[in-house]
Amino acid sequence: PSKRALQTYVPSDKNGILKSVQGDNFERLPTYHASSMLRKIGDKVERSTSLMTFAAFVWLVGDVDEVKRDAMRAREELKLRLS
């Protein structure tokens, strides 16, 4: 196949109440296909240890190297401010 599909798990590394989010505009990624934010402002966020504690899921489709690059960007650029 010439294209690769990847579901990317975007973790949270802290516990707290979600105050704001930056970098959740995953549509900016060239291989973006779909996404789902699992937490909204005011929700309790837990440090990711299972599928349901991730902050977001992002689905990417493209060439292998592009998908890998965008998966890293999605994880690195999502910033959660917690209290």
Coordinates of all heavy atoms in Angstrom, one line a residue:
P1 N 0.8 -1.2 0.0 CA 0.0 0.0 0.0 C 0.9 1.3 0.0 O 1.9 1.3 0.6 CB -0.8 -0.1 1.3 CG -0.3 -1.3 2.0 CD 0.6 -2.0 1.2
S2 N 0.4 2.3 -0.7 CA 1.1 3.5 -0.7 C 0.8 4.5 0.4 O 1.6 5.4 0.6 CB 0.9 4.2 -2.1 OG -0.5 4.5 -2.2
K3 N -0.2 4.2 1.1 CA -0.6 5.1 2.3 C -0.7 4.3 3.5 O -1.0 3.1 3.5 CB -1.9 5.8 2.0 CG -1.9 6.6 0.7 CD -2.2 8.0 1.1 CE -2.2 8.8 -0.3 NZ -1.9 10.1 -0.1
R4 N -0.5 4.9 4.6 CA -0.5 4.3 6.0 C -1.6 5.0 6.8 O -1.6 6.3 6.8 CB 0.8 4.4 6.6 CG 0.9 4.0 8.1 CD 0.8 2.5 8.3 NE 1.8 1.7 7.5 CZ 2.9 1.1 7.9 NH1 3.2 1.3 9.2 NH2 3.6 0.4 7.1
A5 N -2.4 4.3 7.5 CA -3.4 4.9 8.4 C -2.9 4.6 9.9 O -2.4 3.5 10.1 CB -4.8 4.3 8.2
L6 N -3.0 5.6 10.7 CA -2.5 5.4 12.1 C -3.5 6.1 13.1 O -3.9 7.3 12.8 CB -1.1 6.0 12.2 CG -0.5 6.0 13.6 CD1 -0.1 4.6 14.0 CD2 0.8 6.9 13.6
Q7 N -3.9 5.4 14.1 CA -4.6 6.0 15.2 C -3.5 6.4 16.3 O -2.8 5.5 16.8 CB -5.6 5.1 15.8 CG -6.4 5.8 17.0 CD -7.4 4.9 17.6 OE1 -7.8 3.9 17.0 NE2 -8.0 5.3 18.7
T8 N -3.4 7.7 16.5 CA -2.4 8.2 17.5 C -3.1 8.5 18.8 O -4.1 9.2 18.9 CB -1.8 9.5 16.9 OG1 -1.2 9.2 15.7 CG2 -0.7 10.0 17.8
Y9 N -2.5 8.0 19.9 CA -3.0 8.3 21.2 C -2.2 9.5 21.8 O -1.0 9.4 21.8 CB -2.8 7.1 22.1 CG -3.5 5.9 21.6 CD1 -2.8 4.9 20.9 CD2 -4.9 5.7 21.9 CE1 -3.5 3.8 20.4 CE2 -5.5 4.5 21.4 CZ -4.8 3.6 20.6 OH -5.5 2.5 20.2
V10 N -2.9 10.6 22.2 CA -2.2 11.7 22.7 C -2.4 11.7 24.2 O -3.5 12.0 24.7 CB -2.8 13.0 22.0 CG1 -2.0 14.2 22.5 CG2 -2.7 12.9 20.5
P11 N -1.3 11.5 25.0 CA -1.5 11.3 26.4 C -1.5 12.6 27.2 O -1.1 13.7 26.7 CB -0.3 10.5 26.8 CG 0.8 10.9 25.8 CD 0.0 11.2 24.5
S12 N -1.9 12.5 28.4 CA -1.7 13.6 29.4 C -0.6 13.1 30.4 O -0.7 11.9 30.8 CB -3.0 13.8 30.2 OG -2.7 14.7 31.3
D13 N 0.3 13.9 30.8 CA 1.3 13.5 31.7 C 1.1 13.9 33.2 O 1.9 13.8 34.0 CB 2.7 13.9 31.2 CG 2.8 15.4 31.2 OD1 1.8 16.1 31.3 OD2 4.0 15.9 30.9
K14 N -0.1 14.5 33.4 CA -0.4 15.1 34.8 C -1.8 14.8 35.2 O -2.7 14.5 34.3 CB -0.2 16.6 34.8 CG 1.2 17.0 34.4 CD 1.3 18.5 34.4 CE 2.7 18.9 33.8 NZ 2.7 20.3 33.4
N15 N -2.1 15.0 36.4 CA -3.5 15.0 37.0 C -4.0 16.4 37.3 O -3.1 17.2 37.6 CB -3.6 14.2 38.3 CG -3.2 12.7 38.1 OD1 -3.6 12.1 37.2 ND2 -2.4 12.2 39.0
G16 N -5.2 16.6 37.1 CA -5.8 17.9 37.5 C -7.1 18.2 36.8 O -7.7 17.4 36.1
I17 N -7.5 19.5 36.9 CA -8.8 20.0 36.2 C -8.3 20.8 35.0 O -7.5 21.6 35.1 CB -9.6 20.8 37.2 CG1 -10.0 20.1 38.5 CG2 -10.9 21.4 36.5 CD1 -10.8 18.8 38.2
L18 N -8.9 20.4 33.9 CA -8.5 21.1 32.6 C -9.0 22.5 32.6 O -10.2 22.8 32.7 CB -9.1 20.3 31.4 CG -8.6 20.8 30.1 CD1 -7.1 20.7 29.9 CD2 -9.3 19.9 29.0
K19 N -8.0 23.5 32.5 CA -8.3 24.9 32.4 C -8.2 25.4 31.0 O -9.0 26.3 30.7 CB -7.3 25.7 33.3 CG -7.4 25.3 34.8 CD -8.8 25.7 35.3 CE -9.0 25.4 36.8 NZ -10.3 25.7 37.2
S20 N -7.3 25.0 30.2 CA -7.2 25.4 28.8 C -6.4 24.4 28.0 O -5.7 23.6 28.6 CB -6.5 26.8 28.7 OG -5.2 26.8 29.1
V21 N -6.6 24.5 26.7 CA -5.9 23.6 25.7 C -5.3 24.4 24.6 O -5.9 25.4 24.1 CB -6.9 22.6 25.1 CG1 -6.3 21.7 24.1 CG2 -7.7 21.9 26.2
Q22 N -4.1 24.1 24.2 CA -3.4 24.6 23.0 C -3.0 23.4 22.2 O -2.6 22.4 22.7 CB -2.2 25.4 23.4 CG -2.5 26.8 24.0 CD -1.2 27.5 24.3 OE1 -0.4 27.0 25.1 NE2 -1.1 28.7 23.7
G23 N -3.0 23.7 20.9 CA -2.5 22.6 20.0 C -3.5 21.5 19.6 O -3.1 20.5 19.1
D24 N -4.8 21.8 19.9 CA -5.8 20.8 19.6 C -6.4 21.0 18.2 O -7.3 20.3 17.9 CB -6.9 20.7 20.7 CG -7.6 22.1 20.8 OD1 -7.0 23.1 20.5 OD2 -8.8 22.0 21.3
N25 N -5.9 21.9 17.5 CA -6.3 22.1 16.1 C -5.6 21.1 15.2 O -4.8 21.5 14.3 CB -6.1 23.6 15.7 CG -4.7 24.0 15.8 OD1 -3.9 23.5 16.6 ND2 -4.3 24.9 15.0
F26 N -5.8 19.9 15.4 CA -5.1 18.8 14.7 C -5.3 18.9 13.1 O -4.5 18.3 12.4 CB -5.5 17.4 15.2 CG -5.3 17.2 16.6 CD1 -6.3 17.1 17.5 CD2 -4.0 17.2 17.1 CE1 -6.1 16.9 18.9 CE2 -3.7 17.0 18.5 CZ -4.8 16.8 19.3
E27 N -6.3 19.6 12.7 CA -6.5 19.8 11.2 C -5.3 20.4 10.5 O -5.1 20.3 9.3 CB -7.8 20.6 11.0 CG -9.0 20.1 11.6 CD -9.2 20.6 13.0 OE1 -8.5 21.4 13.5 OE2 -10.2 20.0 13.6
R28 N -4.4 21.1 11.3 CA -3.2 21.7 10.7 C -2.2 20.7 10.2 O -1.3 21.0 9.5 CB -2.6 22.6 11.8 CG -1.9 21.8 12.9 CD -1.4 22.7 14.0 NE -0.6 22.0 15.0 CZ -1.1 21.1 15.9 NH1 -2.4 20.8 15.9 NH2 -0.3 20.5 16.7
L29 N -2.3 19.4 10.7 CA -1.4 18.4 10.3 C -1.7 17.9 8.9 O -2.8 17.6 8.6 CB -1.4 17.2 11.3 CG -1.2 17.6 12.8 CD1 -1.5 16.4 13.7 CD2 0.3 18.0 12.9
P30 N -0.7 17.9 8.0 CA -0.9 17.5 6.6 C -1.6 16.1 6.4 O -2.3 15.9 5.5 CB 0.5 17.5 6.0 CG 1.2 18.5 6.8 CD 0.7 18.3 8.2
T31 N -1.4 15.2 7.4 CA -2.0 13.8 7.2 C -3.2 13.6 8.0 O -3.8 12.5 8.1 CB -0.9 12.7 7.6 OG1 -0.6 12.9 8.9 CG2 0.3 12.8 6.7
Y32 N -3.8 14.7 8.6 CA -5.0 14.7 9.4 C -6.1 14.0 8.7 O -6.4 14.3 7.5 CB -5.4 16.1 9.8 CG -6.7 16.1 10.6 CD1 -6.7 15.8 11.9 CD2 -7.8 16.5 9.9 CE1 -7.9 15.9 12.6 CE2 -9.0 16.5 10.6 CZ -9.1 16.2 12.0 OH -10.3 16.2 12.6
H33 N -6.8 13.1 9.4 CA -8.1 12.5 8.8 C -9.2 12.8 9.8 O -10.3 13.2 9.3 CB -7.9 11.0 8.6 CG -9.1 10.4 8.1 ND1 -9.5 10.5 6.8 CD2 -10.0 9.6 8.7 CE1 -10.6 9.9 6.6 NE2 -11.0 9.3 7.7
A34 N -9.0 12.6 11.1 CA -10.1 12.8 12.1 C -9.5 12.9 13.5 O -8.3 12.5 13.6 CB -11.1 11.7 12.0
S35 N -10.2 13.4 14.4 CA -9.7 13.5 15.8 C -10.9 13.5 16.8 O -12.0 13.8 16.4 CB -8.8 14.7 16.0 OG -9.6 15.9 15.9
S36 N -10.5 13.2 18.0 CA -11.5 13.3 19.1 C -10.8 13.7 20.4 O -9.9 13.0 20.8 CB -12.2 11.9 19.3 OG -13.1 11.9 20.4
M37 N -11.2 14.9 20.9 CA -10.7 15.3 22.2 C -11.6 14.6 23.2 O -12.8 14.6 23.2 CB -10.9 16.8 22.4 CG -9.8 17.6 21.7 SD -8.1 17.4 22.3 CE -8.2 18.0 24.0
L38 N -10.9 13.9 24.2 CA -11.7 13.1 25.2 C -12.0 13.9 26.4 O -12.7 13.5 27.3 CB -10.9 11.9 25.5 CG -10.6 10.9 24.3 CD1 -9.8 9.7 24.8 CD2 -11.9 10.5 23.7
R39 N -11.4 15.1 26.6 CA -11.6 16.0 27.7 C -12.0 17.4 27.3 O -11.5 17.8 26.2 CB -10.4 16.1 28.6 CG -9.9 14.7 29.1 CD -10.8 14.1 30.1 NE -10.4 12.8 30.5 CZ -10.8 11.6 29.9 NH1 -11.6 11.7 28.9 NH2 -10.3 10.5 30.3
K40 N -12.9 18.0 28.1 CA -13.2 19.4 27.8 C -12.9 20.3 29.0 O -12.7 19.7 30.1 CB -14.7 19.5 27.3 CG -15.7 19.1 28.4 CD -17.1 19.2 27.8 CE -18.1 18.9 28.8 NZ -18.1 17.6 29.5
I41 N -12.9 21.6 28.8 CA -12.6 22.5 29.9 C -13.5 22.2 31.1 O -14.7 22.0 31.0 CB -12.8 24.0 29.4 CG1 -11.9 24.3 28.2 CG2 -12.5 24.9 30.6 CD1 -10.4 24.1 28.4
G42 N -12.8 22.1 32.3 CA -13.6 21.8 33.5 C -13.5 20.3 33.9 O -13.9 20.0 35.0
D43 N -13.2 19.5 32.9 CA -13.1 18.0 33.2 C -11.9 17.7 34.1 O -10.8 18.3 34.0 CB -13.0 17.2 31.9 CG -14.3 17.1 31.2 OD1 -15.4 17.5 31.7 OD2 -14.3 16.6 30.1
K44 N -12.0 16.6 34.8 CA -10.9 16.0 35.5 C -10.0 15.3 34.5 O -10.5 14.5 33.7 CB -11.4 15.1 36.6 CG -10.3 14.4 37.4 CD -10.8 13.5 38.5 CE -9.7 12.8 39.2 NZ -10.3 11.8 40.2
V45 N -8.7 15.5 34.6 CA -7.8 14.8 33.7 C -6.9 14.0 34.6 O -6.4 14.5 35.6 CB -6.9 15.9 32.9 CG1 -5.9 15.2 32.1 CG2 -7.8 16.7 32.0
E46 N -6.6 12.8 34.1 CA -5.7 11.9 34.8 C -4.5 11.6 34.0 O -4.6 11.6 32.7 CB -6.4 10.5 35.1 CG -7.6 10.6 36.0 CD -8.2 9.2 36.1 OE1 -7.5 8.2 36.0 OE2 -9.4 9.2 36.4
R47 N -3.4 11.4 34.6 CA -2.2 11.0 33.9 C -2.5 9.7 33.1 O -3.1 8.8 33.6 CB -1.0 10.7 34.9 CG 0.3 10.4 34.2 CD 1.4 10.1 35.2 NE 2.6 9.7 34.6 CZ 2.8 8.4 34.4 NH1 2.0 7.4 34.7 NH2 3.9 8.0 33.7
S48 N -2.2 9.7 31.9 CA -2.6 8.6 31.0 C -1.9 7.3 31.3 O -0.7 7.2 31.4 CB -2.2 8.9 29.5 OG -3.0 10.1 29.1
T49 N -2.8 6.3 31.6 CA -2.3 4.9 32.0 C -3.1 3.9 31.2 O -2.8 2.7 31.3 CB -2.4 4.7 33.5 OG1 -3.8 4.9 33.9 CG2 -1.5 5.6 34.3
S50 N -4.2 4.3 30.5 CA -5.1 3.4 29.8 C -5.7 4.2 28.7 O -5.7 5.4 28.6 CB -6.1 2.8 30.7 OG -7.1 3.8 31.1
L51 N -6.4 3.5 27.8 CA -7.1 4.1 26.6 C -8.0 5.3 27.0 O -8.0 6.3 26.4 CB -7.9 3.1 25.8 CG -7.1 2.2 24.9 CD1 -8.0 1.2 24.2 CD2 -6.3 3.0 23.9
M52 N -8.7 5.1 28.1 CA -9.7 6.1 28.4 C -9.1 7.3 29.2 O -9.9 8.2 29.5 CB -10.9 5.5 29.2 CG -11.7 4.5 28.4 SD -12.1 5.1 26.7 CE -13.1 6.5 27.0
T53 N -7.9 7.3 29.5 CA -7.2 8.4 30.2 C -6.4 9.2 29.2 O -5.8 10.2 29.7 CB -6.4 8.0 31.4 OG1 -5.4 7.0 31.0 CG2 -7.3 7.4 32.5
F54 N -6.4 8.9 28.0 CA -5.7 9.8 27.0 C -6.5 11.0 26.8 O -7.7 11.1 26.9 CB -5.5 9.0 25.7 CG -4.4 8.0 25.7 CD1 -4.6 6.7 26.0 CD2 -3.1 8.4 25.4 CE1 -3.6 5.8 26.0 CE2 -2.0 7.5 25.5 CZ -2.3 6.2 25.8
A55 N -5.8 12.1 26.5 CA -6.4 13.4 26.2 C -7.2 13.5 24.9 O -8.2 14.1 24.7 CB -5.4 14.5 26.3
A56 N -6.6 12.8 23.9 CA -7.2 12.8 22.5 C -6.7 11.6 21.7 O -5.7 11.0 22.0 CB -6.7 14.1 21.8
F57 N -7.5 11.4 20.7 CA -7.1 10.4 19.7 C -7.1 11.2 18.4 O -7.9 12.0 18.1 CB -8.2 9.3 19.5 CG -8.3 8.4 20.7 CD1 -9.6 8.0 21.1 CD2 -7.3 8.1 21.5 CE1 -9.8 7.1 22.2 CE2 -7.4 7.2 22.6 CZ -8.7 6.8 22.9
V58 N -6.1 10.9 17.5 CA -6.0 11.5 16.2 C -5.7 10.4 15.2 O -4.9 9.6 15.4 CB -4.8 12.5 16.2 CG1 -4.7 13.2 14.8 CG2 -4.9 13.6 17.3
W59 N -6.5 10.5 14.1 CA -6.3 9.5 13.0 C -5.6 10.2 11.8 O -6.0 11.3 11.4 CB -7.7 9.0 12.6 CG -8.3 8.1 13.6 CD1 -8.1 6.8 13.7 CD2 -9.1 8.5 14.7 NE1 -8.8 6.3 14.8 CE2 -9.4 7.4 15.4 CE3 -9.7 9.7 15.1 CZ2 -10.2 7.4 16.6 CZ3 -10.5 9.8 16.2 CH2 -10.7 8.6 17.0
L60 N -4.6 9.6 11.4 CA -3.7 10.2 10.3 C -3.6 9.2 9.1 O -3.6 8.0 9.3 CB -2.3 10.5 10.9 CG -2.3 11.3 12.1 CD1 -0.9 11.2 12.7 CD2 -2.7 12.7 11.8
V61 N -3.6 9.8 7.9 CA -3.4 8.9 6.7 C -2.4 9.6 5.8 O -2.6 10.8 5.5 CB -4.8 8.8 6.0 CG1 -4.6 8.0 4.7 CG2 -5.8 8.1 6.9
G62 N -1.4 8.9 5.3 CA -0.4 9.4 4.4 C 0.7 8.5 4.3 O 0.7 7.3 4.6
D63 N 1.8 9.0 3.7 CA 3.0 8.2 3.6 C 3.6 7.9 5.0 O 3.3 8.7 5.9 CB 4.1 9.0 2.8 CG 3.7 9.3 1.4 OD1 2.9 8.4 0.8 OD2 4.1 10.2 0.8
V64 N 4.3 6.8 5.1 CA 4.7 6.4 6.4 C 5.5 7.4 7.2 O 5.2 7.7 8.4 CB 5.6 5.1 6.3 CG1 6.2 4.7 7.6 CG2 4.8 3.9 5.7
D65 N 6.5 8.1 6.6 CA 7.3 9.1 7.2 C 6.4 10.3 7.7 O 6.6 10.9 8.7 CB 8.4 9.5 6.4 CG 9.5 8.4 6.2 OD1 9.5 7.5 7.1 OD2 10.3 8.5 5.3
E66 N 5.5 10.7 6.8 CA 4.6 11.8 7.1 C 3.7 11.5 8.3 O 3.5 12.4 9.2 CB 3.8 12.2 5.9 CG 4.6 12.8 4.7 CD 3.8 12.9 3.5 OE1 2.7 12.3 3.4 OE2 4.2 13.7 2.6
V67 N 3.2 10.3 8.3 CA 2.3 9.9 9.4 C 3.1 9.9 10.7 O 2.6 10.4 11.8 CB 1.6 8.6 9.1 CG1 1.0 8.0 10.3 CG2 0.6 8.7 8.0
K68 N 4.3 9.3 10.7 CA 5.1 9.3 11.9 C 5.4 10.7 12.4 O 5.3 11.0 13.6 CB 6.4 8.6 11.7 CG 6.2 7.1 11.5 CD 7.6 6.4 11.3 CE 7.5 4.9 11.1 NZ 8.8 4.3 10.8
R69 N 5.8 11.6 11.5 CA 6.1 13.0 11.8 C 4.9 13.7 12.5 O 5.0 14.3 13.5 CB 6.5 13.8 10.6 CG 6.7 15.2 10.8 CD 6.6 16.1 9.6 NE 5.2 16.0 9.0 CZ 4.9 15.9 7.7 NH1 5.8 16.0 6.8 NH2 3.6 15.8 7.4
D70 N 3.7 13.5 11.9 CA 2.5 14.2 12.4 C 2.0 13.6 13.7 O 1.5 14.3 14.6 CB 1.4 14.1 11.3 CG 1.6 15.1 10.2 OD1 2.6 15.9 10.3 OD2 0.9 15.0 9.2
A71 N 2.2 12.3 13.9 CA 1.9 11.7 15.2 C 2.8 12.3 16.3 O 2.3 12.6 17.4 CB 2.1 10.2 15.1
M72 N 4.0 12.5 16.0 CA 4.9 13.1 17.0 C 4.5 14.5 17.3 O 4.5 15.0 18.4 CB 6.4 13.0 16.5 CG 7.0 11.7 16.6 SD 8.7 11.5 16.0 CE 9.5 12.9 16.7
R73 N 4.2 15.3 16.2 CA 3.7 16.7 16.4 C 2.4 16.7 17.2 O 2.3 17.6 18.1 CB 3.5 17.3 15.0 CG 4.8 17.7 14.3 CD 4.5 18.5 13.0 NE 3.8 19.7 13.3 CZ 3.1 20.4 12.4 NH1 3.1 20.0 11.2 NH2 2.5 21.5 12.7
A74 N 1.5 15.8 17.0 CA 0.2 15.9 17.7 C 0.5 15.7 19.2 O -0.1 16.4 20.0 CB -0.7 14.8 17.2
R75 N 1.4 14.7 19.5 CA 1.7 14.5 20.9 C 2.5 15.6 21.6 O 2.2 16.0 22.7 CB 2.5 13.2 21.1 CG 1.7 12.0 20.8 CD 2.5 10.7 21.0 NE 1.9 9.6 20.4 CZ 2.3 8.8 19.5 NH1 3.5 9.0 18.9 NH2 1.6 7.8 19.1
E76 N 3.5 16.2 20.8 CA 4.3 17.2 21.4 C 3.6 18.5 21.5 O 3.9 19.3 22.4 CB 5.6 17.3 20.5 CG 6.5 16.2 20.6 CD 7.6 16.2 19.6 OE1 7.7 17.2 18.7 OE2 8.5 15.3 19.6
E77 N 2.7 18.9 20.6 CA 2.2 20.2 20.5 C 0.9 20.4 21.3 O 0.4 21.5 21.4 CB 2.0 20.6 19.0 CG 3.4 20.7 18.3 CD 3.2 21.0 16.8 OE1 2.1 21.3 16.3 OE2 4.3 21.0 16.1
L78 N 0.3 19.3 21.7 CA -0.9 19.4 22.5 C -0.5 19.8 23.9 O 0.3 19.1 24.6 CB -1.7 18.1 22.6 CG -3.0 18.3 23.4 CD1 -4.1 19.1 22.7 CD2 -3.6 16.9 23.7
K79 N -0.9 21.0 24.4 CA -0.6 21.5 25.7 C -1.9 21.6 26.5 O -2.8 22.4 26.2 CB 0.1 22.8 25.6 CG 1.4 22.8 24.7 CD 2.5 22.0 25.3 CE 3.7 22.1 24.4 NZ 4.6 21.0 24.5
L80 N -1.9 20.9 27.7 CA -3.0 21.0 28.6 C -2.6 21.8 29.8 O -1.6 21.5 30.4 CB -3.5 19.6 29.0 CG -3.8 18.6 28.0 CD1 -4.2 17.3 28.6 CD2 -4.9 19.1 27.0
R81 N -3.4 22.9 30.1 CA -3.1 23.6 31.4 C -4.1 23.1 32.4 O -5.3 23.2 32.2 CB -3.2 25.1 31.2 CG -2.8 25.9 32.4 CD -2.7 27.4 32.1 NE -4.0 28.0 31.9 CZ -4.8 28.4 32.9 NH1 -4.4 28.4 34.2 NH2 -6.0 29.0 32.6
L82 N -3.5 22.6 33.5 CA -4.4 22.0 34.5 C -4.2 22.7 35.9 O -3.2 23.4 36.1 CB -3.9 20.5 34.8 CG -3.9 19.6 33.6 CD1 -3.3 18.2 33.9 CD2 -5.2 19.5 32.9
S83 N -5.2 22.6 36.7 CA -5.0 23.2 38.1 C -5.2 22.1 39.1 O -5.6 21.0 38.8 CB -6.1 24.3 38.3 OG -7.4 23.8 38.3

